[in-house]
Amino acid sequence: AAFEVLGDPRKRKLYDEFGEDAAKFGFDEKKAEAYRAYRSQTAARGGGYAGGMGGFGGGMAEGMDLNDLLEQLLGRSRGGGGFGLDEEQGIGFDGGGMRRGPARGQDITSRLQVSLAEAVRGTERSVALSRPGRCKTCDGKGTRGAPATCGNCGGTGRVRRGPFQSTCATCGGSGTAAPPCATCAGAGLVEETARLTVKIPPGVHTGSQVRLAGQGAAGARGGPAGDLFFEVEVAEHPLVRREGDDLYLDLPITVPEAMLGAEVKVPTFDGEVTVTLPPGSQSGRKMRLRGKGVPSLKGQGRGDLYLTLKVMVPEAEGSEAARAAAEAIRAAYRTDVRSEVRL
């Protein structure tokens, strides 16, 4: 950032005059020029100015509001995204120029693992999690008791820091403040454990997000709660492989089923189905079951289930009948099955 400023003569000039504020996002050079003209007029009337943004001299108007000055220079208004001057934290952004107003709670993200079967069918999960909840003692306001004169500003609603004055961060400019709640120490929030039911729709995949509106962290000072997001992770299945919305399953079959054809039972996530194997099915042959894959998360149909046939030979050791059958099968081969295998 320093190199960028020093390497640009225009930025260097603004930095020399206005300090680090000139390099901040949103700095309005035209408004800075307008302020430069105002400063020149003030100096002509007998006022003084020394240095950049941090070096205003005694010629500044008594009681000048630093918040107003920063909002003018950086093109911000009190109605949206202003500044607040805190005696301990210094200048900082806030939601609307007042640090003490209601604030929306933070969103919370958690992980949730489901099986492939649950991802295909959809499911419900009961989960428990800890989150910042609204303090029941003060109803999230952070204060409890009758308001009294603010001890930070003496009831004026303003605090002074050198030649500047700003809105009191303790009372928000009202001049009165209630004692902080003893339960939440003025935060308006306490840690709570919540048990929720999460509905997982059919078709989710690893990386899908399930949103529970208003179930995140409670808002500060009575503000609305944030949202709760569950990032879904689909566990791998020991037999079924998923690619998009399609599923792949290796299906073992016997030698007679492969040679003569058969009707076999095949499990799917929707229940068992009957598949007809054609005679002469070889190991590695693929068969497709339409619509037996994963439902589309967007509601546009569903994928297919692909079966890959694997012919399983019986164990012939110790079985004369199996050996005799194998010899009979050997005699049935009319050609060399490896005749086309050449490198």
Side-chain angles (χ1 to χ4, degrees):
F3 179 81
E4 183 179 355
V5 171
L6 295 176
D8 188 324
R10 182 182 60 82
K11 292 184 178 180
R12 173 65 181 269
K13 180 179 179 181
L14 291 172
Y15 185 89
D16 290 340
E17 184 170 6
F18 294 101
E20 294 181 358
D21 292 292
K24 290 182 179 179
F25 177 78
F27 183 83
D28 192 326
E29 184 178 349
K30 291 184 178 180
K31 291 187 177 181
E33 292 176 355
Y35 177 76
R36 187 185 296 117
Y38 165 77
R39 186 188 62 196
S40 299
Q41 295 176 2
T42 303
R45 292 195 298 267
Y49 176 83
M53 288 295 295
F56 291 97
M60 176 173 289
E62 183 68 21
M64 182 175 182
D65 192 332
L66 180 58
N67 289 341
D68 292 338
L69 175 61
L70 290 176
E71 286 166 357
Q72 292 176 12
L73 286 180
L74 295 180
R76 301 182 183 274
S77 64
R78 292 188 182 275
F83 288 86
L85 181 62
D86 189 293
E87 286 295 318
E88 307 216 346
Q89 298 179 0
I91 300 171
F93 293 97
D94 64 25
M98 299 291 287
R99 290 185 179 273
R100 304 296 293 178
R104 182 182 182 273
Q106 292 185 343
D107 293 335
I108 298 176
T109 301
S110 183
R111 295 187 66 84
L112 184 64
Q113 188 180 73
V114 299
S115 67
L116 180 57
E118 291 174 323
V120 174
R121 300 171 185 150
T123 186
E124 287 188 0
R125 286 288 187 85
S126 179
V127 298
L129 75 157
S130 296
R131 65 184 179 186
R134 180 171 296 179
C135 176
K136 292 181 173 57
T137 303
C138 64
D139 195 27
K141 297 177 181 178
T143 59
R144 186 167 176 82
T149 301
C150 177
N152 186 44
C153 63
T156 64
R158 312 288 289 176
V159 291
R160 184 179 295 277
R161 191 175 187 180
F164 308 117
Q165 61 175 325
S166 63
T167 302
C168 175
T170 302
C171 65
S174 65
T176 60
C181 173
T183 302
C184 62
L189 303 174
V190 293
E191 196 74 11
E192 68 176 13
T193 299
R195 181 166 293 277
L196 305 169
T197 298
V198 186
K199 292 184 178 182
I200 309 298
V204 293
H205 53 80
T206 296
S208 296
Q209 280 194 337
V210 178
R211 172 175 171 261
L212 274 64
Q215 295 296 335
R221 297 176 294 278
D227 297 333
L228 174 60
F229 294 90
F230 283 99
E231 290 186 352
V232 178
E233 178 185 357
V234 180
E236 292 187 1
H237 194 279
L239 300 177
V240 181
R241 185 178 81 257
R242 177 179 179 179
E243 293 184 8
D245 289 339
D246 293 328
L247 300 176
Y248 294 82
L249 171 67
D250 291 339
L251 181 66
I253 61 175
T254 67
V255 173
E257 288 171 342
M259 293 178 62
L260 306 176
E263 289 187 349
V264 297
K265 302 292 185 182
V266 177
T268 74
F269 289 122
D270 296 324
E272 197 173 65
V273 298
T274 300
V275 175
T276 300
L277 303 178
S281 294
Q282 300 289 350
S283 189
R285 180 172 184 167
K286 287 183 169 55
M287 302 182 67
R288 180 172 66 174
L289 303 184
R290 295 180 181 273
K292 295 300 181 181
V294 183
S296 172
L297 193 58
K298 298 179 180 179
Q300 300 173 352
R302 59 187 302 170
D304 301 325
L305 171 61
Y306 290 88
L307 305 176
T308 301
L309 304 184
K310 289 203 167 184
V311 179
M312 309 296 291
V313 300
E315 295 180 3
E317 185 177 356
S319 173
E320 289 301 325
R323 292 181 62 86
E327 290 296 338
I329 292 175
R330 187 203 302 269
Y333 285 103
R334 299 175 182 175
T335 60
D336 182 1
V337 296
R338 291 179 292 277
S339 62
E340 301 296 329
V341 181
R342 297 177 182 177
L343 300 180

